[in-house]
Amino acid sequence: MFDSSPMSLSKLVNSSGNMLSSSLLSSRHFTCVKSPALLYHLRGSSPKATYLSASNKVISSVGQECPENFRYHVHGTSFSESMRERKVLLDAFDDEYGGVIIDAEKLPSNPRVFASVLHSSLSHWRTQGKEGVWLKLPVQRSELVPIAVEEGFEYHHAERGYVMMTYWLPEGPSLLPANASHQVGVGGFVINDYNEVLVVQEKYCAPALVGFWKLPTGFINESEEIFSGVVREVKEETGVDTEFAEVVAFRHVHNVAFEKSDLFFICMLRPLSTHIFIDHLEIQAAKWMPLVEFIEQPQIQEDKMFKKIIDICLARLGKRYCGLHAHRVVSRFDGKTSFLYYNLIEPLDENCAAS
């Protein structure tokens, strides 16, 4: 007949504004019991106490259901406290840009509690001068999305297991960084000792590319390097092991997929094996194709971009062009290791005779 949840009282103030004895209240934990008649009892190691509520609204930092405003009776003396005075907030931590990141693992289980505490938290962070608020809602807590939208949060991005939402507290336009704007693709130019190019025909392609033998291509995964991603893609599509040599060119184009931009890197690779074993889910066929035959395809001869890519690859094979090698570097600003792609500059480099 009753639903109850524990709460801790940090202070009780009587009608004359005096604090209750610390010996009476220190380390006292009570249980808030809600009856149909809105009669509440505080039970614990303290003397028996009761209070009445005129409001059924709930608010708590850890999901307990207790009224927002209530009156206490201890040994016949009345006391009152507003939950707003308790500064009930969502668990969160500051980011390095003056904003707040809400802890997704400590969200209130009750949506009504979440709505109340979210509102209180935003007010508190605004008075503290905070700026951006980041709220990551796991797919299991999707019922909280409309509550956040109603409060003024906006969608930032979504992944398979969550949706990220943001709130800009100051007046004026939001200065929070936008969602990722690009996807990154790679293509591998692999040529063997017989002057044959590793090519594929995709199972699903535009009508204009039906029958076209093309370079193996694909997308870079999250936290994957360009040089390792292109080796992986070639292996997945053709079964051929390769070694990254260099980036010879890249293309930048916009409004490719869902209004996102695309970066596509053409990479030279050295074959480490020759046996072909195709991925039947994406690839219709794969083979080693004579370089001359590959170049003479109409799709290459009639397309300026394709033709330019092949011209660059041929110039690199003839040592008339230098590509970009991957060099491991560490920045003193963040201490992170990354890869910087640039031309080799040694004048006696045998792999690149271009001036």
Side-chain angles (χ1 to χ4, degrees):
M1 295 177 62
F2 303 92
D3 62 288
S4 63
S5 55
M7 65 176 293
S8 174
L9 301 181
S10 60
K11 65 176 183 177
L12 292 175
V13 184
N14 62 22
S15 57
S16 62
N18 297 322
M19 296 293 295
L20 283 180
S21 168
S22 59
S23 62
L24 175 65
L25 294 178
S26 61
S27 302
R28 307 285 186 164
H29 293 278
F30 303 90
T31 301
C32 175
V33 182
K34 175 180 174 183
S35 73
L38 296 181
L39 175 65
Y40 293 78
H41 301 272
L42 295 176
R43 302 184 302 184
S45 57
S46 67
K48 180 178 180 181
T50 64
Y51 64 91
L52 296 173
S53 171
S55 169
N56 195 29
K57 187 175 182 181
V58 292
I59 184 170
S60 169
S61 65
V62 290
Q64 292 91 346
E65 293 192 13
C66 286
E68 181 178 5
N69 299 290
F70 43 84
R71 180 174 297 278
Y72 304 93
H73 300 272
V74 180
H75 289 313
T77 304
S78 297
F79 307 92
S80 64
E81 179 181 12
S82 169
M83 289 297 288
R84 292 190 182 92
E85 295 176 357
R86 296 168 62 86
K87 299 185 184 302
V88 181
L89 304 174
L90 290 168
D91 287 289
F93 53 92
D94 294 342
D95 63 21
E96 56 184 313
Y97 304 104
V100 176
I101 301 174
I102 298 172
D103 192 335
E105 296 183 357
K106 296 182 180 179
L107 297 172
S109 59
N110 189 308
R112 292 181 301 163
V113 174
F114 172 74
S116 296
V117 184
L118 180 62
H119 183 81
S120 299
S121 298
L122 291 175
S123 298
H124 174 74
W125 293 327
R126 185 176 286 107
T127 60
Q128 284 194 323
K130 300 299 182 183
E131 296 186 340
V133 180
W134 297 85
L135 173 60
K136 180 180 181 180
L137 292 178
V139 66
Q140 298 86 352
R141 304 305 312 277
S142 59
E143 77 279 6
L144 303 183
V145 172
I147 297 175
V149 171
E150 181 68 21
E151 190 62 48
F153 277 80
E154 297 180 348
Y155 295 113
H156 186 267
H157 69 273
E159 295 290 346
R160 186 182 299 272
Y162 71 88
V163 59
M164 182 69 77
M165 309 183 74
T166 60
Y167 191 104
W168 183 250
L169 290 167
E171 296 291 335
S174 173
L175 299 181
L176 291 175
N179 183 27
S181 59
H182 287 67
Q183 62 184 16
V184 179
V186 287
F189 185 88
V190 188
I191 189 165
N192 62 20
D193 294 336
Y194 302 100
N195 223 25
E196 295 173 328
V197 183
L198 182 61
V199 293
V200 299
Q201 285 185 345
E202 293 185 340
K203 182 170 291 187
Y204 307 102
C205 62
L209 298 179
V210 172
F212 173 50
W213 292 97
K214 58 183 287 293
L215 303 179
T217 61
F219 290 104
I220 296 295
N221 293 329
E222 186 176 355
S223 301
E224 186 176 42
E225 299 293 340
I226 292 173
F227 61 84
S228 59
V230 67
V231 169
R232 174 189 53 78
E233 281 290 347
V234 171
K235 175 69 173 180
E236 289 179 354
E237 291 192 357
T238 69
V240 175
D241 294 307
T242 60
E243 179 183 36
F244 172 82
E246 56 194 34
V247 172
V248 294
F250 70 90
R251 180 202 66 176
H252 192 198
V253 65
H254 307 288
N255 297 320
V256 174
F258 304 103
E259 301 180 0
K260 299 299 183 181
S261 300
D262 179 270
L263 283 168
F264 182 70
F265 292 85
I266 308 299
C267 304
M268 297 284 291
L269 304 174
R270 288 182 286 269
L272 301 178
S273 66
T274 57
H275 179 70
I276 293 177
F277 182 80
I278 67 171
D279 174 14
H280 292 281
L281 293 178
E282 298 183 20
I283 302 302
Q284 183 69 35
K287 67 178 182 179
W288 292 100
M289 188 176 194
L291 178 59
V292 175
E293 183 180 341
F294 173 67
I295 296 173
E296 290 177 350
Q297 292 183 101
Q299 291 89 341
I300 291 180
Q301 293 298 318
E302 297 172 3
D303 188 281
K304 291 184 178 180
M305 185 189 69
F306 282 161
K307 191 173 187 305
K308 178 56 68 175
I309 289 174
I310 300 306
D311 288 344
I312 291 172
C313 292
L314 294 178
R316 183 64 190 94
L317 291 175
K319 298 184 180 181
R320 303 187 308 275
Y321 178 88
C322 291
L324 306 177
H325 291 249
H327 300 267
R328 186 191 300 269
V329 294
V330 178
S331 172
R332 60 173 295 187
F333 294 104
D334 55 16
K336 293 183 178 181
T337 299
S338 61
F339 285 88
L340 186 64
Y341 292 78
Y342 59 86
N343 296 120
L344 292 174
I345 58 177
E346 291 80 359
L348 299 179
D349 178 25
E350 296 180 355
N351 294 318
C352 180
S355 59

